[in-house]
PDB file of all heavy atoms in Angstrom:
ATOM      1  N   VAL A1089      16.142  -7.176   3.570  1.00  0.00           N
ATOM      2  CA  VAL A1089      16.521  -5.762   3.399  1.00  0.00           C
ATOM      3  C   VAL A1089      16.199  -5.296   1.982  1.00  0.00           C
ATOM      4  O   VAL A1089      15.608  -4.232   1.778  1.00  0.00           O
ATOM      5  CB  VAL A1089      18.017  -5.553   3.734  1.00  0.00           C
ATOM      6  CG1 VAL A1089      18.484  -4.170   3.314  1.00  0.00           C
ATOM      7  CG2 VAL A1089      18.260  -5.775   5.221  1.00  0.00           C
ATOM      8  N   VAL A1090      16.551  -6.093   0.982  1.00  0.00           N
ATOM      9  CA  VAL A1090      16.275  -5.723  -0.409  1.00  0.00           C
ATOM     10  C   VAL A1090      14.777  -5.655  -0.651  1.00  0.00           C
ATOM     11  O   VAL A1090      14.266  -4.734  -1.274  1.00  0.00           O
ATOM     12  CB  VAL A1090      16.973  -6.712  -1.383  1.00  0.00           C
ATOM     13  CG1 VAL A1090      16.496  -6.507  -2.810  1.00  0.00           C
ATOM     14  CG2 VAL A1090      18.479  -6.572  -1.290  1.00  0.00           C
ATOM     15  N   TRP A1091      14.033  -6.625  -0.144  1.00  0.00           N
ATOM     16  CA  TRP A1091      12.578  -6.652  -0.324  1.00  0.00           C
ATOM     17  C   TRP A1091      11.934  -5.418   0.298  1.00  0.00           C
ATOM     18  O   TRP A1091      11.081  -4.785  -0.301  1.00  0.00           O
ATOM     19  CB  TRP A1091      12.019  -7.927   0.297  1.00  0.00           C
ATOM     20  CG  TRP A1091      10.524  -7.992   0.214  1.00  0.00           C
ATOM     21  CD1 TRP A1091       9.772  -8.268  -0.882  1.00  0.00           C
ATOM     22  CD2 TRP A1091       9.606  -7.752   1.273  1.00  0.00           C
ATOM     23  NE1 TRP A1091       8.438  -8.222  -0.580  1.00  0.00           N
ATOM     24  CE2 TRP A1091       8.311  -7.902   0.753  1.00  0.00           C
ATOM     25  CE3 TRP A1091       9.749  -7.437   2.621  1.00  0.00           C
ATOM     26  CZ2 TRP A1091       7.174  -7.740   1.527  1.00  0.00           C
ATOM     27  CZ3 TRP A1091       8.619  -7.272   3.388  1.00  0.00           C
ATOM     28  CH2 TRP A1091       7.341  -7.424   2.837  1.00  0.00           C
ATOM     29  N   GLN A1092      12.344  -5.019   1.498  1.00  0.00           N
ATOM     30  CA  GLN A1092      11.773  -3.839   2.145  1.00  0.00           C
ATOM     31  C   GLN A1092      12.110  -2.567   1.385  1.00  0.00           C
ATOM     32  O   GLN A1092      11.285  -1.679   1.257  1.00  0.00           O
ATOM     33  CB  GLN A1092      12.258  -3.726   3.589  1.00  0.00           C
ATOM     34  CG  GLN A1092      11.598  -4.707   4.508  1.00  0.00           C
ATOM     35  CD  GLN A1092      12.064  -4.546   5.944  1.00  0.00           C
ATOM     36  OE1 GLN A1092      13.093  -3.948   6.200  1.00  0.00           O
ATOM     37  NE2 GLN A1092      11.297  -5.100   6.876  1.00  0.00           N
ATOM     38  N   LYS A1093      13.322  -2.483   0.888  1.00  0.00           N
ATOM     39  CA  LYS A1093      13.734  -1.279   0.161  1.00  0.00           C
ATOM     40  C   LYS A1093      12.919  -1.096  -1.114  1.00  0.00           C
ATOM     41  O   LYS A1093      12.450  -0.006  -1.411  1.00  0.00           O
ATOM     42  CB  LYS A1093      15.222  -1.343  -0.170  1.00  0.00           C
ATOM     43  CG  LYS A1093      15.697  -0.150  -0.945  1.00  0.00           C
ATOM     44  CD  LYS A1093      17.181  -0.190  -1.204  1.00  0.00           C
ATOM     45  CE  LYS A1093      17.542   0.970  -2.079  1.00  0.00           C
ATOM     46  NZ  LYS A1093      18.666   1.706  -1.652  1.00  0.00           N
ATOM     47  N   TYR A1094      12.740  -2.151  -1.890  1.00  0.00           N
ATOM     48  CA  TYR A1094      12.058  -2.030  -3.173  1.00  0.00           C
ATOM     49  C   TYR A1094      10.544  -2.186  -3.091  1.00  0.00           C
ATOM     50  O   TYR A1094       9.844  -1.877  -4.038  1.00  0.00           O
ATOM     51  CB  TYR A1094      12.642  -3.031  -4.180  1.00  0.00           C
ATOM     52  CG  TYR A1094      14.030  -2.645  -4.593  1.00  0.00           C
ATOM     53  CD1 TYR A1094      15.139  -3.342  -4.140  1.00  0.00           C
ATOM     54  CD2 TYR A1094      14.243  -1.535  -5.406  1.00  0.00           C
ATOM     55  CE1 TYR A1094      16.414  -2.962  -4.488  1.00  0.00           C
ATOM     56  CE2 TYR A1094      15.514  -1.147  -5.755  1.00  0.00           C
ATOM     57  CZ  TYR A1094      16.598  -1.857  -5.301  1.00  0.00           C
ATOM     58  OH  TYR A1094      17.862  -1.478  -5.649  1.00  0.00           O
ATOM     59  N   SER A1095      10.024  -2.603  -1.971  1.00  0.00           N
ATOM     60  CA  SER A1095       8.575  -2.722  -1.850  1.00  0.00           C
ATOM     61  C   SER A1095       8.005  -1.638  -0.939  1.00  0.00           C
ATOM     62  O   SER A1095       6.835  -1.675  -0.615  1.00  0.00           O
ATOM     63  CB  SER A1095       8.195  -4.100  -1.304  1.00  0.00           C
ATOM     64  OG  SER A1095       8.639  -4.229   0.040  1.00  0.00           O
ATOM     65  N   ALA A1096       8.837  -0.659  -0.536  1.00  0.00           N
ATOM     66  CA  ALA A1096       8.352   0.426   0.325  1.00  0.00           C
ATOM     67  C   ALA A1096       7.367   1.287  -0.463  1.00  0.00           C
ATOM     68  O   ALA A1096       7.589   1.592  -1.632  1.00  0.00           O
ATOM     69  CB  ALA A1096       9.512   1.280   0.814  1.00  0.00           C
ATOM     70  N   PRO A1097       6.263   1.701   0.151  1.00  0.00           N
ATOM     71  CA  PRO A1097       5.277   2.533  -0.553  1.00  0.00           C
ATOM     72  C   PRO A1097       5.797   3.946  -0.749  1.00  0.00           C
ATOM     73  O   PRO A1097       6.739   4.375  -0.081  1.00  0.00           O
ATOM     74  CB  PRO A1097       4.077   2.538   0.400  1.00  0.00           C
ATOM     75  CG  PRO A1097       4.674   2.310   1.750  1.00  0.00           C
ATOM     76  CD  PRO A1097       5.866   1.418   1.515  1.00  0.00           C
ATOM     77  N   ASP A1098       5.160   4.659  -1.679  1.00  0.00           N
ATOM     78  CA  ASP A1098       5.492   6.065  -1.874  1.00  0.00           C
ATOM     79  C   ASP A1098       5.187   6.809  -0.588  1.00  0.00           C
ATOM     80  O   ASP A1098       4.236   6.504   0.117  1.00  0.00           O
ATOM     81  CB  ASP A1098       4.646   6.672  -3.006  1.00  0.00           C
ATOM     82  CG  ASP A1098       5.001   6.082  -4.351  1.00  0.00           C
ATOM     83  OD1 ASP A1098       6.100   5.527  -4.475  1.00  0.00           O
ATOM     84  OD2 ASP A1098       4.161   6.192  -5.271  1.00  0.00           O
ATOM     85  N   GLU A1099       5.972   7.838  -0.302  1.00  0.00           N
ATOM     86  CA  GLU A1099       5.720   8.635   0.892  1.00  0.00           C
ATOM     87  C   GLU A1099       4.423   9.414   0.761  1.00  0.00           C
ATOM     88  O   GLU A1099       3.843   9.814   1.747  1.00  0.00           O
ATOM     89  CB  GLU A1099       6.882   9.586   1.145  1.00  0.00           C
ATOM     90  CG  GLU A1099       8.124   8.866   1.602  1.00  0.00           C
ATOM     91  CD  GLU A1099       9.254   9.823   1.914  1.00  0.00           C
ATOM     92  OE1 GLU A1099       8.984  11.017   2.093  1.00  0.00           O
ATOM     93  OE2 GLU A1099      10.391   9.364   1.973  1.00  0.00           O
ATOM     94  N   ASP A1100       3.972   9.656  -0.462  1.00  0.00           N
ATOM     95  CA  ASP A1100       2.750  10.416  -0.683  1.00  0.00           C
ATOM     96  C   ASP A1100       1.524   9.510  -0.765  1.00  0.00           C
ATOM     97  O   ASP A1100       0.483   9.936  -1.219  1.00  0.00           O
ATOM     98  CB  ASP A1100       2.850  11.229  -1.978  1.00  0.00           C
ATOM     99  CG  ASP A1100       3.910  12.306  -1.873  1.00  0.00           C
ATOM    100  OD1 ASP A1100       4.231  12.709  -0.744  1.00  0.00           O
ATOM    101  OD2 ASP A1100       4.403  12.739  -2.921  1.00  0.00           O
ATOM    102  N   ALA A1101       1.666   8.251  -0.380  1.00  0.00           N
ATOM    103  CA  ALA A1101       0.551   7.335  -0.493  1.00  0.00           C
ATOM    104  C   ALA A1101       0.231   6.752   0.878  1.00  0.00           C
ATOM    105  O   ALA A1101       1.061   6.729   1.765  1.00  0.00           O
ATOM    106  CB  ALA A1101       0.885   6.217  -1.471  1.00  0.00           C
ATOM    107  N   SER A1102      -0.996   6.305   1.012  1.00  0.00           N
ATOM    108  CA  SER A1102      -1.396   5.635   2.242  1.00  0.00           C
ATOM    109  C   SER A1102      -2.093   4.333   1.858  1.00  0.00           C
ATOM    110  O   SER A1102      -2.637   4.209   0.762  1.00  0.00           O
ATOM    111  CB  SER A1102      -2.320   6.530   3.066  1.00  0.00           C
ATOM    112  OG  SER A1102      -3.502   6.788   2.339  1.00  0.00           O
ATOM    113  N   PHE A1103      -2.056   3.351   2.752  1.00  0.00           N
ATOM    114  CA  PHE A1103      -2.703   2.083   2.491  1.00  0.00           C
ATOM    115  C   PHE A1103      -4.115   2.132   3.027  1.00  0.00           C
ATOM    116  O   PHE A1103      -4.353   2.567   4.151  1.00  0.00           O
ATOM    117  CB  PHE A1103      -1.934   0.941   3.149  1.00  0.00           C
ATOM    118  CG  PHE A1103      -0.625   0.658   2.491  1.00  0.00           C
ATOM    119  CD1 PHE A1103       0.561   1.056   3.062  1.00  0.00           C
ATOM    120  CD2 PHE A1103      -0.589   0.002   1.274  1.00  0.00           C
ATOM    121  CE1 PHE A1103       1.757   0.802   2.452  1.00  0.00           C
ATOM    122  CE2 PHE A1103       0.610  -0.253   0.653  1.00  0.00           C
ATOM    123  CZ  PHE A1103       1.786   0.147   1.240  1.00  0.00           C
ATOM    124  N   THR A1104      -5.063   1.689   2.209  1.00  0.00           N
ATOM    125  CA  THR A1104      -6.458   1.636   2.624  1.00  0.00           C
ATOM    126  C   THR A1104      -7.044   0.296   2.226  1.00  0.00           C
ATOM    127  O   THR A1104      -6.588  -0.340   1.279  1.00  0.00           O
ATOM    128  CB  THR A1104      -7.293   2.750   1.982  1.00  0.00           C
ATOM    129  OG1 THR A1104      -7.173   2.650   0.564  1.00  0.00           O
ATOM    130  CG2 THR A1104      -6.831   4.119   2.421  1.00  0.00           C
ATOM    131  N   ARG A1105      -8.063  -0.118   2.959  1.00  0.00           N
ATOM    132  CA  ARG A1105      -8.775  -1.343   2.618  1.00  0.00           C
ATOM    133  C   ARG A1105     -10.114  -0.936   2.034  1.00  0.00           C
ATOM    134  O   ARG A1105     -10.827  -0.125   2.597  1.00  0.00           O
ATOM    135  CB  ARG A1105      -9.016  -2.200   3.852  1.00  0.00           C
ATOM    136  CG  ARG A1105      -7.790  -2.761   4.530  1.00  0.00           C
ATOM    137  CD  ARG A1105      -7.198  -3.904   3.810  1.00  0.00           C
ATOM    138  NE  ARG A1105      -8.039  -5.073   3.776  1.00  0.00           N
ATOM    139  CZ  ARG A1105      -7.600  -6.305   3.873  1.00  0.00           C
ATOM    140  NH1 ARG A1105      -6.334  -6.536   4.053  1.00  0.00           N
ATOM    141  NH2 ARG A1105      -8.418  -7.315   3.801  1.00  0.00           N
ATOM    142  N   THR A1106     -10.431  -1.472   0.872  1.00  0.00           N
ATOM    143  CA  THR A1106     -11.735  -1.238   0.263  1.00  0.00           C
ATOM    144  C   THR A1106     -12.535  -2.532   0.350  1.00  0.00           C
ATOM    145  O   THR A1106     -11.993  -3.593   0.678  1.00  0.00           O
ATOM    146  CB  THR A1106     -11.590  -0.818  -1.209  1.00  0.00           C
ATOM    147  OG1 THR A1106     -10.946  -1.882  -1.912  1.00  0.00           O
ATOM    148  CG2 THR A1106     -10.779   0.463  -1.349  1.00  0.00           C
ATOM    149  N   ASP A1107     -13.813  -2.463   0.027  1.00  0.00           N
ATOM    150  CA  ASP A1107     -14.644  -3.669   0.048  1.00  0.00           C
ATOM    151  C   ASP A1107     -14.069  -4.720  -0.891  1.00  0.00           C
ATOM    152  O   ASP A1107     -14.022  -5.907  -0.580  1.00  0.00           O
ATOM    153  CB  ASP A1107     -16.081  -3.339  -0.350  1.00  0.00           C
ATOM    154  CG  ASP A1107     -16.787  -2.517   0.717  1.00  0.00           C
ATOM    155  OD1 ASP A1107     -16.352  -2.566   1.885  1.00  0.00           O
ATOM    156  OD2 ASP A1107     -17.767  -1.836   0.380  1.00  0.00           O
ATOM    157  N   GLU A1108     -13.591  -4.262  -2.057  1.00  0.00           N
ATOM    158  CA  GLU A1108     -13.017  -5.190  -3.035  1.00  0.00           C
ATOM    159  C   GLU A1108     -11.733  -5.806  -2.496  1.00  0.00           C
ATOM    160  O   GLU A1108     -11.501  -7.004  -2.610  1.00  0.00           O
ATOM    161  CB  GLU A1108     -12.727  -4.447  -4.341  1.00  0.00           C
ATOM    162  CG  GLU A1108     -12.126  -5.332  -5.409  1.00  0.00           C
ATOM    163  CD  GLU A1108     -11.794  -4.536  -6.665  1.00  0.00           C
ATOM    164  OE1 GLU A1108     -12.522  -3.575  -6.959  1.00  0.00           O
ATOM    165  OE2 GLU A1108     -10.811  -4.887  -7.328  1.00  0.00           O
ATOM    166  N   SER A1109     -10.867  -4.984  -1.867  1.00  0.00           N
ATOM    167  CA  SER A1109      -9.599  -5.512  -1.375  1.00  0.00           C
ATOM    168  C   SER A1109      -9.816  -6.435  -0.185  1.00  0.00           C
ATOM    169  O   SER A1109      -9.037  -7.355   0.034  1.00  0.00           O
ATOM    170  CB  SER A1109      -8.649  -4.379  -0.998  1.00  0.00           C
ATOM    171  OG  SER A1109      -9.119  -3.679   0.135  1.00  0.00           O
ATOM    172  N   MET A1110     -10.869  -6.208   0.585  1.00  0.00           N
ATOM    173  CA  MET A1110     -11.152  -7.110   1.706  1.00  0.00           C
ATOM    174  C   MET A1110     -11.577  -8.478   1.181  1.00  0.00           C
ATOM    175  O   MET A1110     -11.251  -9.505   1.770  1.00  0.00           O
ATOM    176  CB  MET A1110     -12.214  -6.506   2.622  1.00  0.00           C
ATOM    177  CG  MET A1110     -11.691  -5.299   3.375  1.00  0.00           C
ATOM    178  SD  MET A1110     -12.890  -4.629   4.492  1.00  0.00           S
ATOM    179  CE  MET A1110     -12.490  -5.540   5.956  1.00  0.00           C
ATOM    180  N   ALA A1111     -12.297  -8.490   0.060  1.00  0.00           N
ATOM    181  CA  ALA A1111     -12.741  -9.759  -0.520  1.00  0.00           C
ATOM    182  C   ALA A1111     -11.556 -10.532  -1.077  1.00  0.00           C
ATOM    183  O   ALA A1111     -11.505 -11.756  -0.972  1.00  0.00           O
ATOM    184  CB  ALA A1111     -13.769  -9.504  -1.618  1.00  0.00           C
ATOM    185  N   THR A1112     -10.587  -9.809  -1.663  1.00  0.00           N
ATOM    186  CA  THR A1112      -9.437 -10.486  -2.260  1.00  0.00           C
ATOM    187  C   THR A1112      -8.281 -10.619  -1.286  1.00  0.00           C
ATOM    188  O   THR A1112      -7.322 -11.316  -1.568  1.00  0.00           O
ATOM    189  CB  THR A1112      -8.940  -9.718  -3.499  1.00  0.00           C
ATOM    190  OG1 THR A1112      -8.525  -8.419  -3.086  1.00  0.00           O
ATOM    191  CG2 THR A1112     -10.016  -9.619  -4.556  1.00  0.00           C
ATOM    192  N   GLY A1113      -8.361  -9.918  -0.149  1.00  0.00           N
ATOM    193  CA  GLY A1113      -7.284  -9.988   0.836  1.00  0.00           C
ATOM    194  C   GLY A1113      -6.080  -9.153   0.461  1.00  0.00           C
ATOM    195  O   GLY A1113      -4.985  -9.392   0.938  1.00  0.00           O
ATOM    196  N   THR A1114      -6.254  -8.179  -0.439  1.00  0.00           N
ATOM    197  CA  THR A1114      -5.136  -7.334  -0.853  1.00  0.00           C
ATOM    198  C   THR A1114      -5.347  -5.904  -0.356  1.00  0.00           C
ATOM    199  O   THR A1114      -6.455  -5.482  -0.051  1.00  0.00           O
ATOM    200  CB  THR A1114      -5.007  -7.307  -2.387  1.00  0.00           C
ATOM    201  OG1 THR A1114      -6.211  -6.772  -2.925  1.00  0.00           O
ATOM    202  CG2 THR A1114      -4.739  -8.677  -2.949  1.00  0.00           C
ATOM    203  N   TRP A1115      -4.266  -5.198  -0.306  1.00  0.00           N
ATOM    204  CA  TRP A1115      -4.303  -3.783   0.083  1.00  0.00           C
ATOM    205  C   TRP A1115      -4.161  -2.941  -1.176  1.00  0.00           C
ATOM    206  O   TRP A1115      -3.468  -3.320  -2.117  1.00  0.00           O
ATOM    207  CB  TRP A1115      -3.148  -3.437   1.026  1.00  0.00           C
ATOM    208  CG  TRP A1115      -3.301  -4.020   2.386  1.00  0.00           C
ATOM    209  CD1 TRP A1115      -2.922  -5.269   2.789  1.00  0.00           C
ATOM    210  CD2 TRP A1115      -3.893  -3.394   3.510  1.00  0.00           C
ATOM    211  NE1 TRP A1115      -3.226  -5.459   4.105  1.00  0.00           N
ATOM    212  CE2 TRP A1115      -3.829  -4.308   4.579  1.00  0.00           C
ATOM    213  CE3 TRP A1115      -4.473  -2.157   3.738  1.00  0.00           C
ATOM    214  CZ2 TRP A1115      -4.323  -4.025   5.835  1.00  0.00           C
ATOM    215  CZ3 TRP A1115      -4.946  -1.873   5.005  1.00  0.00           C
ATOM    216  CH2 TRP A1115      -4.881  -2.805   6.031  1.00  0.00           C
ATOM    217  N   THR A1116      -4.820  -1.785  -1.186  1.00  0.00           N
ATOM    218  CA  THR A1116      -4.652  -0.876  -2.318  1.00  0.00           C
ATOM    219  C   THR A1116      -3.968   0.388  -1.833  1.00  0.00           C
ATOM    220  O   THR A1116      -4.107   0.777  -0.679  1.00  0.00           O
ATOM    221  CB  THR A1116      -6.010  -0.495  -2.940  1.00  0.00           C
ATOM    222  OG1 THR A1116      -6.823   0.095  -1.943  1.00  0.00           O
ATOM    223  CG2 THR A1116      -6.701  -1.706  -3.522  1.00  0.00           C
ATOM    224  N   THR A1117      -3.227   1.012  -2.724  1.00  0.00           N
ATOM    225  CA  THR A1117      -2.515   2.234  -2.389  1.00  0.00           C
ATOM    226  C   THR A1117      -3.262   3.421  -2.984  1.00  0.00           C
ATOM    227  O   THR A1117      -3.573   3.434  -4.168  1.00  0.00           O
ATOM    228  CB  THR A1117      -1.081   2.202  -2.958  1.00  0.00           C
ATOM    229  OG1 THR A1117      -0.451   1.012  -2.486  1.00  0.00           O
ATOM    230  CG2 THR A1117      -0.296   3.408  -2.537  1.00  0.00           C
ATOM    231  N   THR A1118      -3.553   4.412  -2.151  1.00  0.00           N
ATOM    232  CA  THR A1118      -4.207   5.631  -2.631  1.00  0.00           C
ATOM    233  C   THR A1118      -3.369   6.824  -2.226  1.00  0.00           C
ATOM    234  O   THR A1118      -2.696   6.794  -1.188  1.00  0.00           O
ATOM    235  CB  THR A1118      -5.622   5.788  -2.031  1.00  0.00           C
ATOM    236  OG1 THR A1118      -5.516   5.775  -0.614  1.00  0.00           O
ATOM    237  CG2 THR A1118      -6.541   4.674  -2.478  1.00  0.00           C
ATOM    238  N   PRO A1119      -3.389   7.885  -3.023  1.00  0.00           N
ATOM    239  CA  PRO A1119      -2.607   9.066  -2.656  1.00  0.00           C
ATOM    240  C   PRO A1119      -3.080   9.626  -1.321  1.00  0.00           C
ATOM    241  O   PRO A1119      -4.273   9.628  -1.019  1.00  0.00           O
ATOM    242  CB  PRO A1119      -2.886  10.057  -3.783  1.00  0.00           C
ATOM    243  CG  PRO A1119      -3.425   9.235  -4.904  1.00  0.00           C
ATOM    244  CD  PRO A1119      -4.071   8.038  -4.286  1.00  0.00           C
ATOM    245  N   ALA A1120      -2.138  10.081  -0.528  1.00  0.00           N
ATOM    246  CA  ALA A1120      -2.475  10.687   0.756  1.00  0.00           C
ATOM    247  C   ALA A1120      -3.080  12.058   0.527  1.00  0.00           C
ATOM    248  O   ALA A1120      -2.726  12.761  -0.410  1.00  0.00           O
ATOM    249  CB  ALA A1120      -1.222  10.814   1.621  1.00  0.00           C
ATOM    250  N   THR A1121      -3.999  12.447   1.380  1.00  0.00           N
ATOM    251  CA  THR A1121      -4.617  13.763   1.281  1.00  0.00           C
ATOM    252  C   THR A1121      -3.653  14.792   1.851  1.00  0.00           C
ATOM    253  O   THR A1121      -3.207  14.652   2.989  1.00  0.00           O
ATOM    254  CB  THR A1121      -5.936  13.794   2.084  1.00  0.00           C
ATOM    255  OG1 THR A1121      -6.757  12.736   1.628  1.00  0.00           O
ATOM    256  CG2 THR A1121      -6.637  15.123   1.926  1.00  0.00           C
ATOM    257  N   PRO A1122      -3.316  15.812   1.055  1.00  0.00           N
ATOM    258  CA  PRO A1122      -2.385  16.813   1.579  1.00  0.00           C
ATOM    259  C   PRO A1122      -3.049  17.578   2.721  1.00  0.00           C
ATOM    260  O   PRO A1122      -4.262  17.759   2.739  1.00  0.00           O
ATOM    261  CB  PRO A1122      -2.120  17.733   0.381  1.00  0.00           C
ATOM    262  CG  PRO A1122      -3.266  17.504  -0.540  1.00  0.00           C
ATOM    263  CD  PRO A1122      -3.768  16.122  -0.286  1.00  0.00           C
TER     264      PRO A1122
END
């Protein structure tokens, strides 16, 4: 519960996979398009 609360993304952000993040296996956060 604590981990989910403090690791929740910003509501104004979306998760995207880039070529770099696919190579490292990480996700990057980018602002959502209004």
Side-chain angles (χ1 to χ4, degrees):
V1089 169
V1090 169
W1091 177 75
Q1092 285 182 342
K1093 179 177 175 133
Y1094 290 107
S1095 67
D1098 293 340
E1099 289 183 18
D1100 294 337
S1102 62
F1103 289 104
T1104 57
R1105 295 284 294 218
T1106 61
D1107 290 338
E1108 180 183 327
S1109 68
M1110 291 182 91
T1112 62
T1114 61
W1115 289 86
T1116 58
T1117 305
T1118 57
T1121 305

